[in-house]
């Protein structure tokens, strides 16, 4: 049951990229890849799991770095997403009551 849900999820993700190819073909390709990885030698399966996990880790680290770059103004319009309201009136402004009591 877990394999079927993984194959369906992979087919849905792939269908976002290319609509002309039917989903059944992507299901067949992904399921065939999973079956072939399980049929071959265990070392191939372990090696493929290592590389797939490495791709995931590199992707996550890359997205974190991209988020930091975009946060500090590295995007196409060079707009700093953070700190834009820190100039006037500042980071902490009285909201509910005057003075330090109203600062959230």
């Amino acid at each position: 049951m877990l394999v079927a849900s993984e194959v369906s999820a992979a087919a849905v993700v792939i269908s976002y990229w290319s609509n002309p190819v039917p989903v059944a073909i992507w299901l067949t390709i992904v399921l065939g890849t999973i079956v072939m990885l399980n049929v071959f030698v265990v070392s191939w399966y372990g090696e493929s799991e290592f590389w797939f996990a490495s791709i995931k880790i590199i992707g996550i680290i890359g997205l974190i770095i991209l988020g930091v770059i975009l946060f500090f103004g590295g995007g196409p319009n060079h707009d700093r997403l953070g700190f834009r309201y820190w100039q006037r009136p500042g980071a902490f402004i009285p909201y509910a009551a005057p003075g330090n009591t109203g600062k959230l």
Side-chain angles (χ1 to χ4, degrees):
M1 186 158 132
L2 185 63
V3 173
S5 63
E6 288 178 354
V7 170
S8 297
V12 168
V13 169
I14 292 172
S15 69
Y16 283 123
W17 294 325
S18 61
N19 286 334
V21 180
V23 177
I25 292 178
W26 292 120
L27 288 171
T28 306
I29 291 171
V30 172
L31 190 59
T33 303
I34 290 174
V35 167
M36 294 312 284
L37 283 174
N38 285 316
V39 167
F40 287 129
V41 184
V42 174
S43 65
W44 289 9
Y45 179 75
E47 188 75 18
S48 65
E49 285 293 322
F50 168 77
W51 285 110
F52 291 150
S54 298
I55 290 170
K56 289 179 194 177
I57 291 171
I58 291 169
I60 290 171
I61 291 172
L63 287 174
I64 290 172
I65 292 170
L66 176 68
V68 169
I69 289 171
L70 290 176
F71 183 79
F72 287 111
N77 58 0
H78 302 292
D79 182 29
R80 293 182 302 163
L81 298 176
F83 310 119
R84 97 172 37 160
Y85 298 111
W86 281 39
Q87 298 170 355
R88 286 174 235 103
F92 299 101
I93 180 171
Y95 174 68
N100 289 331
T101 308
K103 293 183 180 179
L104 297 174

XYZ file of all heavy atoms in Angstrom:
806
model
N 0.815 -1.180 0.000
C 0.000 0.000 0.000
C 0.870 1.258 0.000
O 0.527 2.247 -0.619
C -0.914 0.000 1.213
C -1.882 1.145 1.193
S -3.274 0.769 2.216
C -3.389 2.255 3.134
N 1.997 1.211 0.667
C 2.882 2.363 0.713
C 3.484 2.636 -0.658
O 3.617 3.796 -1.060
C 3.984 2.135 1.750
C 4.917 3.302 1.984
C 4.145 4.481 2.541
C 6.014 2.901 2.942
N 3.822 1.587 -1.386
C 4.404 1.767 -2.721
C 3.390 2.421 -3.647
O 3.730 3.308 -4.424
C 4.886 0.412 -3.283
C 5.332 0.562 -4.729
C 6.001 -0.146 -2.435
N 2.132 2.008 -3.554
C 1.101 2.583 -4.421
C 0.913 4.074 -4.146
O 0.758 4.868 -5.084
C -0.214 1.844 -4.218
N 0.952 4.476 -2.893
C 0.790 5.899 -2.588
C 2.008 6.702 -3.036
O 1.872 7.836 -3.503
C 0.544 6.099 -1.091
O 1.662 5.669 -0.345
N 3.209 6.119 -2.904
C 4.405 6.812 -3.376
C 4.395 6.966 -4.889
O 4.766 8.019 -5.422
C 5.660 6.055 -2.938
C 5.943 6.158 -1.460
C 7.160 5.354 -1.050
O 7.708 4.635 -1.904
O 7.546 5.446 0.120
N 3.975 5.937 -5.600
C 3.927 5.999 -7.061
C 2.875 7.008 -7.512
O 3.108 7.794 -8.429
C 3.646 4.592 -7.644
C 3.350 4.658 -9.123
C 4.814 3.675 -7.378
N 1.732 7.033 -6.845
C 0.692 8.006 -7.201
C 1.158 9.432 -6.937
O 0.921 10.336 -7.740
C -0.583 7.730 -6.400
O -1.097 6.469 -6.721
N 1.831 9.647 -5.799
C 2.342 10.978 -5.482
C 3.400 11.408 -6.501
O 3.417 12.566 -6.932
C 2.924 10.996 -4.066
N 4.272 10.492 -6.888
C 5.294 10.822 -7.888
C 4.649 11.171 -9.223
O 5.078 12.108 -9.903
C 6.261 9.654 -8.047
N 3.620 10.446 -9.615
C 2.943 10.725 -10.884
C 2.249 12.079 -10.852
O 2.256 12.817 -11.848
C 1.932 9.624 -11.197
N 1.671 12.446 -9.714
C 1.016 13.753 -9.605
C 2.044 14.876 -9.694
O 1.832 15.882 -10.369
C 0.217 13.840 -8.288
C -0.225 15.264 -8.005
C -0.984 12.925 -8.334
N 3.186 14.707 -9.014
C 4.226 15.728 -9.064
C 4.783 15.862 -10.477
O 4.986 16.975 -10.977
C 5.351 15.402 -8.055
C 6.556 16.296 -8.267
C 4.843 15.544 -6.634
N 5.020 14.748 -11.139
C 5.553 14.796 -12.507
C 4.527 15.395 -13.465
O 4.894 16.107 -14.405
C 5.996 13.390 -12.959
C 7.208 12.949 -12.138
C 6.321 13.370 -14.440
C 7.615 11.514 -12.360
N 3.237 15.164 -13.229
C 2.216 15.692 -14.140
C 2.127 17.213 -14.080
O 1.600 17.831 -14.998
C 0.854 15.068 -13.840
O 0.366 15.526 -12.592
N 2.636 17.838 -13.027
C 2.681 19.299 -12.991
C 3.643 19.843 -14.047
O 3.473 20.947 -14.531
C 3.130 19.806 -11.617
C 2.053 19.731 -10.569
C 2.255 19.033 -9.400
C 0.839 20.384 -10.739
C 1.282 18.966 -8.429
C -0.141 20.321 -9.781
C 0.080 19.614 -8.622
O -0.881 19.553 -7.673
N 4.671 19.081 -14.366
C 5.692 19.553 -15.294
C 5.315 19.330 -16.744
O 5.637 20.131 -17.599
C 7.031 18.889 -15.010
C 7.601 19.288 -13.698
C 7.508 20.507 -13.100
C 8.356 18.477 -12.823
N 8.155 20.484 -11.901
C 8.693 19.253 -11.702
C 8.790 17.161 -12.856
C 9.441 18.770 -10.641
C 9.529 16.678 -11.809
C 9.851 17.481 -10.712
N 4.693 18.178 -17.032
C 4.372 17.884 -18.429
C 2.982 17.275 -18.510
O 2.774 16.138 -18.109
C 5.406 16.933 -19.023
O 5.402 15.715 -18.325
N 2.055 18.025 -19.042
C 0.684 17.549 -19.181
C 0.445 16.647 -20.380
O -0.467 15.835 -20.349
C -0.281 18.738 -19.239
C -0.453 19.379 -17.888
O -0.288 18.738 -16.870
N -0.777 20.661 -17.884
N 1.213 16.742 -21.484
C 0.885 15.928 -22.655
C 1.020 14.419 -22.424
O 0.377 13.635 -23.102
C 1.879 16.379 -23.724
C 2.497 17.628 -23.227
C 2.293 17.673 -21.760
N 1.847 14.017 -21.473
C 2.050 12.590 -21.225
C 1.001 12.107 -20.225
O 0.835 12.708 -19.162
C 3.478 12.341 -20.680
C 3.701 10.876 -20.427
C 4.510 12.894 -21.631
N 0.293 11.019 -20.537
C -0.719 10.516 -19.604
C -0.102 10.060 -18.274
O 1.053 9.633 -18.211
C -1.330 9.320 -20.342
C -0.958 9.512 -21.763
C 0.313 10.286 -21.774
N -0.881 10.142 -17.221
C -0.403 9.779 -15.886
C -0.069 8.296 -15.812
O 0.847 7.894 -15.086
C -1.476 10.157 -14.834
C -1.057 9.723 -13.450
C -1.738 11.649 -14.852
N -0.777 7.466 -16.581
C -0.532 6.020 -16.544
C 0.891 5.683 -16.984
O 1.506 4.744 -16.465
C -1.539 5.297 -17.432
N 1.434 6.453 -17.898
C 2.813 6.195 -18.345
C 3.788 6.522 -17.221
O 4.735 5.780 -16.968
C 3.108 7.002 -19.619
C 2.277 6.434 -20.763
C 4.592 6.980 -19.951
C 2.423 7.147 -22.071
N 3.549 7.643 -16.518
C 4.433 7.986 -15.395
C 4.309 6.960 -14.276
O 5.309 6.612 -13.640
C 4.108 9.383 -14.866
C 4.456 10.465 -15.824
C 3.607 11.374 -16.383
C 5.748 10.749 -16.363
N 4.295 12.201 -17.225
C 5.610 11.844 -17.227
C 7.010 10.187 -16.192
C 6.678 12.386 -17.926
C 8.070 10.744 -16.888
C 7.905 11.812 -17.741
N 3.092 6.458 -14.032
C 2.921 5.405 -13.030
C 3.734 4.171 -13.402
O 4.401 3.564 -12.555
C 1.440 5.026 -12.902
C 0.526 6.031 -12.218
C -0.917 5.608 -12.375
C 0.882 6.166 -10.765
N 3.700 3.800 -14.663
C 4.436 2.628 -15.121
C 5.941 2.824 -14.991
O 6.661 1.924 -14.548
C 4.063 2.330 -16.584
O 2.647 2.209 -16.689
C 4.725 1.055 -17.056
N 6.423 4.002 -15.367
C 7.866 4.263 -15.293
C 8.349 4.237 -13.847
O 9.357 3.599 -13.519
C 8.202 5.607 -15.972
C 7.993 5.504 -17.477
C 9.620 6.048 -15.643
C 8.087 6.827 -18.204
N 7.637 4.917 -12.959
C 8.056 4.972 -11.555
C 7.950 3.600 -10.909
O 8.860 3.170 -10.182
C 7.224 6.021 -10.784
C 7.504 5.953 -9.302
C 7.500 7.408 -11.315
N 6.876 2.882 -11.153
C 6.719 1.540 -10.583
C 7.773 0.591 -11.133
O 8.338 -0.227 -10.391
C 5.321 1.011 -10.873
C 4.915 -0.270 -10.153
C 4.985 -0.069 -8.648
C 3.532 -0.695 -10.559
N 8.073 0.702 -12.428
C 9.132 -0.133 -13.014
C 10.486 0.153 -12.397
O 11.277 -0.767 -12.141
N 10.769 1.440 -12.140
C 12.035 1.801 -11.493
C 12.119 1.213 -10.099
O 13.163 0.667 -9.709
C 12.165 3.338 -11.437
O 12.060 3.860 -12.757
C 13.485 3.750 -10.828
N 11.033 1.294 -9.344
C 11.037 0.737 -7.983
C 11.209 -0.777 -8.016
O 11.982 -1.348 -7.235
C 9.742 1.134 -7.247
C 9.760 2.640 -6.949
C 9.586 0.350 -5.954
C 8.466 3.160 -6.366
N 10.512 -1.448 -8.924
C 10.630 -2.911 -9.026
C 12.045 -3.305 -9.431
O 12.640 -4.232 -8.853
C 9.587 -3.464 -10.024
C 9.883 -4.903 -10.381
C 8.196 -3.338 -9.448
N 12.641 -2.598 -10.397
C 13.990 -2.945 -10.835
C 15.014 -2.713 -9.718
O 15.964 -3.483 -9.580
C 14.363 -2.137 -12.085
C 13.525 -2.491 -13.298
S 13.378 -4.255 -13.607
C 14.966 -4.603 -14.283
N 14.839 -1.666 -8.935
C 15.757 -1.433 -7.821
C 15.643 -2.525 -6.761
O 16.620 -2.875 -6.106
C 15.491 -0.063 -7.176
C 16.021 1.142 -7.947
C 15.553 2.423 -7.283
C 17.532 1.108 -8.016
N 14.453 -3.080 -6.598
C 14.274 -4.144 -5.607
C 14.683 -5.511 -6.139
O 14.991 -6.408 -5.356
C 12.819 -4.185 -5.135
C 12.504 -3.053 -4.200
O 13.283 -2.754 -3.306
N 11.380 -2.416 -4.405
N 14.682 -5.693 -7.458
C 15.040 -6.984 -8.028
C 16.550 -7.163 -8.085
O 17.068 -8.256 -7.870
C 14.414 -7.129 -9.442
C 15.011 -8.289 -10.197
C 12.923 -7.290 -9.327
N 17.276 -6.093 -8.379
C 18.724 -6.195 -8.511
C 19.389 -6.428 -7.171
O 18.748 -6.537 -6.131
C 19.290 -4.950 -9.188
C 18.994 -4.887 -10.649
C 18.432 -3.752 -11.203
C 19.259 -5.958 -11.481
C 18.160 -3.682 -12.549
C 18.988 -5.906 -12.831
C 18.431 -4.771 -13.361
N 20.689 -6.463 -7.211
C 21.504 -6.758 -6.041
C 21.255 -5.712 -4.957
O 20.971 -4.553 -5.227
C 22.998 -6.759 -6.457
C 23.884 -7.154 -5.311
C 23.212 -7.680 -7.635
N 21.380 -6.137 -3.715
C 21.132 -5.262 -2.580
C 22.079 -4.060 -2.590
O 21.701 -2.956 -2.200
C 21.272 -6.061 -1.264
C 21.168 -5.164 -0.066
C 20.225 -7.152 -1.200
N 23.285 -4.247 -3.053
C 24.230 -3.133 -3.067
C 23.760 -2.011 -3.995
O 23.971 -0.845 -3.702
C 25.614 -3.614 -3.486
O 25.590 -4.071 -4.816
N 23.109 -2.359 -5.106
C 22.572 -1.332 -5.994
C 21.443 -0.577 -5.307
O 21.319 0.626 -5.445
C 22.055 -1.939 -7.288
C 23.130 -2.438 -8.204
C 24.464 -2.561 -7.923
C 22.951 -2.868 -9.533
N 25.122 -3.055 -9.005
C 24.212 -3.256 -10.014
C 21.862 -2.981 -10.369
C 24.394 -3.733 -11.291
C 22.041 -3.464 -11.642
C 23.309 -3.828 -12.096
N 20.617 -1.326 -4.585
C 19.515 -0.693 -3.862
C 20.058 0.257 -2.797
O 19.594 1.391 -2.667
C 18.619 -1.753 -3.223
C 17.474 -1.182 -2.440
C 16.377 -0.643 -3.083
C 17.506 -1.164 -1.052
C 15.324 -0.109 -2.373
C 16.461 -0.628 -0.332
C 15.373 -0.108 -1.000
O 14.343 0.422 -0.282
N 21.053 -0.200 -2.054
C 21.658 0.648 -1.031
C 22.334 1.868 -1.626
O 22.249 2.962 -1.082
N 22.996 1.672 -2.750
C 23.660 2.788 -3.420
C 22.637 3.820 -3.915
O 22.830 5.022 -3.761
C 24.485 2.269 -4.596
C 25.356 3.294 -5.249
C 26.593 3.641 -4.439
O 26.966 2.869 -3.540
O 27.171 4.712 -4.702
N 21.543 3.343 -4.490
C 20.519 4.275 -4.969
C 19.865 5.020 -3.804
O 19.588 6.218 -3.904
C 19.464 3.544 -5.787
O 18.748 2.637 -4.970
N 19.623 4.335 -2.695
C 19.062 5.001 -1.519
C 20.016 6.070 -0.996
O 19.588 7.150 -0.571
C 18.766 3.987 -0.409
C 17.548 3.143 -0.663
C 16.267 3.947 -0.625
O 16.158 4.866 0.212
O 15.379 3.660 -1.431
N 21.311 5.786 -1.016
C 22.298 6.766 -0.567
C 22.247 8.008 -1.438
O 22.224 9.136 -0.932
C 23.704 6.149 -0.605
C 24.799 7.162 -0.437
C 25.083 7.680 0.815
C 25.528 7.606 -1.526
C 26.080 8.617 0.974
C 26.522 8.538 -1.379
C 26.810 9.051 -0.119
N 22.206 7.831 -2.760
C 22.213 8.988 -3.651
C 20.898 9.756 -3.587
O 20.889 10.990 -3.651
C 22.529 8.565 -5.082
C 23.982 8.240 -5.232
C 24.534 7.010 -5.424
C 25.071 9.157 -5.135
N 25.898 7.105 -5.467
C 26.264 8.420 -5.294
C 25.169 10.520 -4.931
C 27.517 9.007 -5.254
C 26.420 11.111 -4.898
C 27.574 10.351 -5.061
N 19.775 9.047 -3.457
C 18.492 9.749 -3.335
C 18.446 10.561 -2.044
O 17.959 11.695 -2.031
C 17.326 8.768 -3.379
C 17.124 8.127 -4.730
C 16.604 6.856 -4.826
C 17.462 8.789 -5.901
C 16.419 6.258 -6.058
C 17.283 8.201 -7.130
C 16.750 6.933 -7.216
N 18.944 10.004 -0.949
C 18.987 10.742 0.312
C 19.944 11.924 0.219
O 19.672 12.998 0.767
C 19.397 9.812 1.449
N 21.054 11.751 -0.481
C 22.004 12.860 -0.658
C 21.370 13.991 -1.460
O 21.566 15.173 -1.138
C 23.263 12.374 -1.372
O 23.909 11.393 -0.611
N 20.606 13.641 -2.494
C 19.919 14.661 -3.285
C 18.919 15.420 -2.417
O 18.798 16.651 -2.510
C 19.237 14.020 -4.506
C 20.292 13.554 -5.505
C 18.261 14.982 -5.171
C 19.746 12.696 -6.621
N 18.208 14.715 -1.548
C 17.256 15.382 -0.656
C 17.967 16.350 0.283
O 17.514 17.489 0.473
C 16.499 14.344 0.180
C 15.506 13.528 -0.579
C 14.857 12.548 0.361
C 14.103 11.484 -0.375
N 13.531 10.480 0.532
N 19.055 15.919 0.868
C 19.780 16.771 1.812
C 20.362 17.993 1.108
O 20.260 19.120 1.595
C 20.879 15.961 2.534
C 20.237 14.946 3.465
C 21.822 16.874 3.300
C 21.194 13.959 4.066
N 20.954 17.785 -0.063
C 21.501 18.914 -0.828
C 20.382 19.868 -1.235
O 20.554 21.103 -1.183
C 22.278 18.396 -2.057
C 23.557 17.695 -1.602
C 22.598 19.527 -3.030
C 24.257 16.925 -2.687
N 19.233 19.329 -1.605
C 18.094 20.183 -1.963
C 17.598 21.015 -0.798
O 17.305 22.209 -0.948
N 17.496 20.411 0.373
C 17.039 21.145 1.556
C 18.026 22.235 1.929
O 17.636 23.382 2.204
C 16.805 20.173 2.725
C 15.581 19.317 2.447
C 16.643 20.926 4.034
C 15.387 18.184 3.429
N 19.315 21.914 1.928
C 20.326 22.924 2.255
C 20.307 24.045 1.216
O 20.402 25.230 1.558
C 21.724 22.273 2.358
C 21.776 21.374 3.592
C 22.823 23.323 2.418
C 23.020 20.536 3.685
N 20.152 23.693 -0.052
C 20.079 24.703 -1.102
C 18.873 25.616 -0.943
O 18.969 26.826 -1.141
N 17.720 25.061 -0.558
C 16.534 25.892 -0.358
C 16.677 26.799 0.853
O 16.179 27.933 0.840
C 15.297 25.004 -0.225
C 14.829 24.352 -1.515
C 13.696 23.372 -1.243
C 14.396 25.400 -2.518
N 17.356 26.328 1.902
C 17.609 27.186 3.057
C 18.509 28.347 2.662
O 18.258 29.508 3.017
C 18.207 26.367 4.223
C 17.144 25.434 4.797
C 18.765 27.281 5.306
C 17.675 24.443 5.815
N 19.568 28.066 1.915
C 20.472 29.128 1.456
C 19.726 30.103 0.544
O 19.876 31.327 0.662
C 21.709 28.522 0.756
C 22.572 27.776 1.784
C 22.512 29.585 0.035
C 23.677 26.954 1.174
N 18.895 29.590 -0.359
C 18.109 30.445 -1.230
C 17.168 31.334 -0.426
O 17.020 32.530 -0.726
C 17.304 29.606 -2.229
C 16.355 30.381 -3.138
C 17.140 31.243 -4.108
C 15.437 29.421 -3.865
N 16.544 30.785 0.612
C 15.662 31.583 1.454
C 16.389 32.708 2.149
O 15.889 33.836 2.234
N 17.592 32.444 2.647
C 18.382 33.493 3.306
C 18.775 34.569 2.295
O 18.698 35.770 2.587
C 19.623 32.873 3.996
C 20.584 33.937 4.458
C 19.199 32.000 5.163
N 19.181 34.155 1.109
C 19.581 35.127 0.076
C 18.392 36.008 -0.317
O 18.513 37.230 -0.418
C 20.165 34.397 -1.149
C 21.527 33.805 -0.800
C 20.282 35.338 -2.345
C 22.081 32.894 -1.862
N 17.233 35.400 -0.534
C 16.056 36.184 -0.902
C 15.600 37.086 0.239
O 15.117 38.193 0.015
C 14.917 35.258 -1.329
C 15.114 34.529 -2.645
C 13.960 33.582 -2.895
C 15.280 35.503 -3.779
N 15.769 36.623 1.465
C 15.367 37.401 2.634
C 16.162 38.690 2.743
O 15.634 39.735 3.111
C 15.547 36.549 3.895
C 15.108 37.225 5.148
C 13.766 37.296 5.473
C 16.019 37.786 6.010
C 13.346 37.920 6.631
C 15.618 38.406 7.177
C 14.273 38.478 7.484
N 17.444 38.625 2.397
C 18.307 39.787 2.527
C 18.447 40.584 1.233
O 19.363 41.381 1.097
C 19.685 39.380 3.043
C 19.667 39.013 4.497
C 19.859 37.709 4.893
C 19.450 39.975 5.461
C 19.841 37.363 6.227
C 19.428 39.642 6.804
C 19.616 38.336 7.187
N 17.559 40.377 0.263
C 17.536 41.222 -0.927
C 18.273 40.686 -2.124
O 18.657 41.448 -3.004
N 18.474 39.399 -2.216
C 19.180 38.837 -3.357
C 18.273 38.481 -4.516
O 18.720 37.867 -5.474
N 17.018 38.869 -4.472
C 16.082 38.565 -5.546
C 16.239 39.504 -6.723
O 17.082 40.407 -6.731
N 15.420 39.324 -7.759
C 15.554 40.138 -8.962
C 15.253 41.619 -8.741
O 15.816 42.475 -9.417
C 14.564 39.516 -9.944
C 13.679 38.657 -9.143
C 14.400 38.303 -7.887
N 14.374 41.968 -7.800
C 14.074 43.380 -7.577
C 14.867 43.957 -6.404
O 14.672 45.113 -6.049
C 12.575 43.583 -7.354
C 12.055 42.784 -6.181
O 12.792 42.068 -5.525
N 10.763 42.899 -5.941
N 15.748 43.192 -5.795
C 16.635 43.604 -4.703
C 15.870 44.204 -3.531
O 16.348 45.119 -2.874
C 17.704 44.582 -5.197
C 18.550 44.011 -6.289
N 19.424 42.977 -6.071
C 18.631 44.305 -7.613
C 20.020 42.665 -7.207
N 19.552 43.446 -8.159
N 14.672 43.714 -3.280
C 13.868 44.186 -2.158
C 14.137 43.299 -0.956
O 13.998 42.077 -1.037
C 12.386 44.136 -2.535
C 11.496 44.668 -1.437
O 11.966 45.539 -0.674
O 10.337 44.226 -1.356
N 14.556 43.892 0.142
C 14.781 43.120 1.365
C 13.432 42.773 1.968
O 12.684 43.657 2.380
C 15.609 43.920 2.368
C 17.020 44.159 1.902
C 17.783 44.907 2.937
N 17.094 46.179 3.219
C 17.309 46.912 4.284
N 18.173 46.529 5.181
N 16.660 48.044 4.468
N 13.124 41.497 2.027
C 11.827 41.082 2.548
C 11.753 41.276 4.060
O 10.718 41.612 4.598
C 11.559 39.620 2.185
C 11.493 39.350 0.688
C 11.315 37.876 0.435
C 10.382 40.131 0.047
N 12.853 41.060 4.720
C 12.892 41.319 6.152
C 13.404 42.715 6.390
O 14.007 43.341 5.521
N 13.151 43.234 7.534
C 13.659 44.534 7.971
C 13.047 45.711 7.220
O 13.527 46.812 7.352
C 15.186 44.618 7.839
C 15.908 43.463 8.450
C 16.698 42.643 7.670
C 15.800 43.189 9.792
C 17.363 41.572 8.220
C 16.464 42.135 10.348
C 17.243 41.314 9.566
N 12.006 45.527 6.427
C 11.478 46.665 5.675
C 10.742 47.641 6.582
O 10.656 48.809 6.277
C 10.626 46.165 4.524
C 9.170 46.110 4.721
C 8.419 45.785 3.462
N 9.130 44.827 2.638
C 8.607 44.091 1.714
N 7.332 44.184 1.468
N 9.294 43.250 1.008
N 10.214 47.196 7.714
C 9.484 48.083 8.610
C 10.318 48.503 9.816
O 9.795 49.041 10.769
C 8.201 47.403 9.086
C 7.267 47.096 7.942
C 7.027 45.789 7.564
C 6.662 48.115 7.221
C 6.185 45.500 6.511
C 5.822 47.835 6.164
C 5.589 46.529 5.820
O 4.762 46.258 4.774
N 11.592 48.271 9.794
C 12.435 48.599 10.934
C 12.906 50.043 10.902
O 13.505 50.524 11.839
C 13.641 47.667 10.979
C 13.305 46.332 11.537
C 12.178 45.615 11.335
C 14.106 45.558 12.407
N 12.216 44.440 11.997
C 13.409 44.370 12.665
C 15.355 45.728 12.968
C 13.905 43.378 13.477
C 15.854 44.733 13.773
C 15.136 43.581 14.023
N 12.717 50.781 9.825
C 13.218 52.153 9.736
C 12.285 53.119 10.456
O 12.686 53.813 11.376
C 13.367 52.550 8.268
C 14.367 51.669 7.568
C 14.359 51.891 6.074
O 13.543 52.638 5.545
N 15.254 51.216 5.384
N 11.055 53.201 10.047
C 10.070 54.072 10.669
C 8.824 53.272 10.892
O 8.243 52.822 9.922
C 9.757 55.261 9.754
C 10.855 56.261 9.711
C 10.547 57.342 8.686
N 11.663 57.423 7.762
C 11.684 56.931 6.542
N 10.643 56.344 6.035
N 12.751 57.031 5.790
N 8.405 52.981 12.010
C 8.665 53.475 13.347
C 9.678 52.650 14.116
O 9.952 52.950 15.261
C 7.300 53.396 14.007
C 6.676 52.198 13.404
C 7.178 52.187 11.980
N 10.227 51.619 13.562
C 11.198 50.807 14.274
C 10.673 49.398 14.484
O 9.546 49.071 14.137
N 11.520 48.579 15.062
C 11.151 47.174 15.245
C 10.074 47.008 16.310
O 9.184 46.179 16.176
C 12.377 46.372 15.623
N 10.143 47.782 17.357
C 9.175 47.665 18.442
C 8.441 48.991 18.579
O 9.035 50.016 18.873
C 9.882 47.320 19.755
C 10.615 46.017 19.692
C 11.985 45.987 19.508
C 9.939 44.821 19.773
C 12.662 44.794 19.433
C 10.607 43.618 19.705
C 11.975 43.601 19.530
N 7.165 48.980 18.350
C 6.353 50.192 18.412
C 5.258 49.981 19.455
O 4.708 48.880 19.565
C 5.736 50.510 17.040
C 4.900 51.776 17.093
C 4.931 49.368 16.517
C 4.441 52.250 15.738
N 4.935 51.000 20.238
C 3.824 50.867 21.179
C 2.526 50.615 20.411
O 2.198 51.328 19.464
C 3.794 52.208 21.898
C 5.155 52.765 21.731
C 5.652 52.272 20.423
N 1.787 49.595 20.808
C 0.581 49.214 20.092
C -0.664 49.364 20.975
O -1.559 50.114 20.659
C 0.703 47.782 19.587
C -0.562 47.247 18.959
C -1.023 47.761 17.757
C -1.284 46.240 19.567
C -2.183 47.297 17.185
C -2.439 45.762 18.996
C -2.876 46.281 17.810
O -4.030 45.810 17.244
N -0.706 48.632 22.053
C -1.909 48.600 22.879
C -1.942 49.729 23.908
O -3.008 50.205 24.266
C -2.031 47.259 23.598
N -0.784 50.145 24.386
C -0.702 51.199 25.393
C 0.550 52.007 25.126
O 1.509 51.508 24.537
C -0.666 50.588 26.800
N 0.600 53.260 25.565
C 1.794 54.064 25.319
C 2.969 53.601 26.165
O 2.805 53.023 27.240
C 1.360 55.486 25.704
C 0.218 55.293 26.642
C -0.459 54.034 26.226
N 4.177 53.828 25.656
C 5.375 53.494 26.401
C 5.768 52.027 26.261
O 5.345 51.325 25.342
N 6.588 51.573 27.217
C 7.068 50.192 27.161
C 5.972 49.169 27.443
O 6.118 48.001 27.112
C 8.206 49.992 28.163
C 9.454 50.708 27.726
O 9.681 50.888 26.537
N 10.279 51.118 28.672
N 4.884 49.585 28.047
C 3.789 48.649 28.352
C 3.146 48.111 27.071
O 2.759 46.946 27.008
C 2.712 49.352 29.187
O 3.339 49.956 30.308
C 1.667 48.370 29.671
N 3.048 48.939 26.046
C 2.345 48.532 24.836
C 3.203 47.849 23.800
O 2.728 47.498 22.735
N 4.485 47.663 24.065
C 5.341 47.008 23.080
C 5.141 45.509 23.118
O 5.205 44.892 24.174
C 6.808 47.376 23.333
C 7.078 48.825 23.063
C 8.530 49.172 23.243
C 8.727 50.660 22.942
N 10.100 51.044 23.119
N 4.898 44.931 21.964
C 4.646 43.482 21.881
C 5.903 42.715 21.643
O 6.791 43.048 21.022
C 3.650 43.190 20.757
C 2.281 43.795 20.979
C 1.434 43.575 19.738
C 1.614 43.175 22.167
